[in-house]
Amino acid sequence: MAKVTSKSSSKTDKGIVIDIGITAKDREAVAHELAKMLADSYTLYLTTHNFHWNVTGPLFNTLHQMFMTQYTEQWQALDEIAERIRALGHYAPGTYAQYGRLASITAPDDVPDATEMVRILVKGNEAVAKTARAALKRGEDASDAPTVDLLTRRLDVHEKNAWMLRSILE
């Protein structure tokens, strides 16, 4: 399992002590869970954007627009997640190799049909929701309210996206 990196568990890379009321150990644990959230979120973002570009069929306009709405929102969230990791004193993962080690989901290798795209995105949003719940639990255990708030908002988005996508399949 890839680890979130920091030059010191209690200091920034310039040696400044971080004293925000969360222990170094808890900050590292929360940052690691957030790194997994970032990896899953980035993978889902990339998949959603890919499907936006490549969807075809009778639901083209509906799915093209829905996917654009979803990937645009996801793109904005990536920055919030990465910045929270940095606020905890750790470096945010930012390479495909790191995401490959951290993510619980994978992007498809080919372009599926529209119905399969929707199924993949339902599963992807549900997987991100599960990752968010695990990170949220870690944040609650550390009394890290900003992380809990961030993850609560992400859960709402991904559960709603999964529901909307699932409704297309019914």
Side-chain angles (χ1 to χ4, degrees):
M1 177 164 28
K3 196 171 182 174
V4 175
T5 59
S6 173
K7 297 209 180 219
S8 169
S9 59
S10 63
K11 297 180 181 180
T12 67
D13 57 346
K14 299 293 183 190
I16 300 168
V17 174
I18 298 173
D19 185 15
I20 59 173
I22 303 172
T23 68
K25 182 179 176 182
D26 282 344
R27 285 188 293 103
E28 182 175 11
V30 171
H32 182 67
E33 293 302 315
L34 285 170
K36 292 191 280 188
M37 180 69 183
L38 183 60
D40 275 354
S41 297
Y42 193 90
T43 304
L44 180 61
Y45 155 77
L46 190 60
T47 301
T48 307
H49 207 155
N50 175 24
F51 290 172
H52 163 80
W53 289 327
N54 292 302
V55 68
T56 59
L59 290 175
F60 168 80
N61 195 49
T62 299
L63 293 178
H64 187 73
Q65 291 301 317
M66 178 186 270
F67 295 165
M68 182 170 68
T69 299
Q70 290 180 4
Y71 80 69
T72 300
E73 191 284 331
Q74 290 165 3
W75 179 254
Q76 296 299 315
L78 295 171
D79 201 51
E80 285 186 74
I81 298 164
E83 287 179 356
R84 185 64 198 149
I85 294 168
R86 293 296 294 136
L88 292 169
H90 294 272
Y91 293 115
T95 67
Y96 289 120
Q98 289 171 314
Y99 292 155
R101 289 188 299 270
L102 290 162
S104 69
I105 58 178
T106 57
D109 290 329
D110 56 1
V111 177
D113 66 29
T115 301
E116 188 60 21
M117 286 178 178
V118 172
R119 282 190 186 101
I120 289 168
L121 293 178
V122 167
K123 289 180 189 215
N125 277 282
E126 289 173 344
V128 173
K130 287 185 231 173
T131 301
R133 282 187 198 292
L136 188 136
K137 173 81 169 94
R138 184 68 76 172
E140 287 173 338
D141 292 346
S143 298
D144 181 356
T147 294
V148 169
D149 179 59
L150 169 65
L151 293 168
T152 299
R153 287 183 281 125
R154 299 311 311 148
L155 270 169
D156 184 50
V157 167
H158 291 290
E159 288 179 356
K160 183 176 179 181
N161 286 351
W163 157 64
M164 292 176 126
L165 290 159
R166 203 177 305 108
S167 295
I168 292 170
L169 298 172
E170 294 177 353

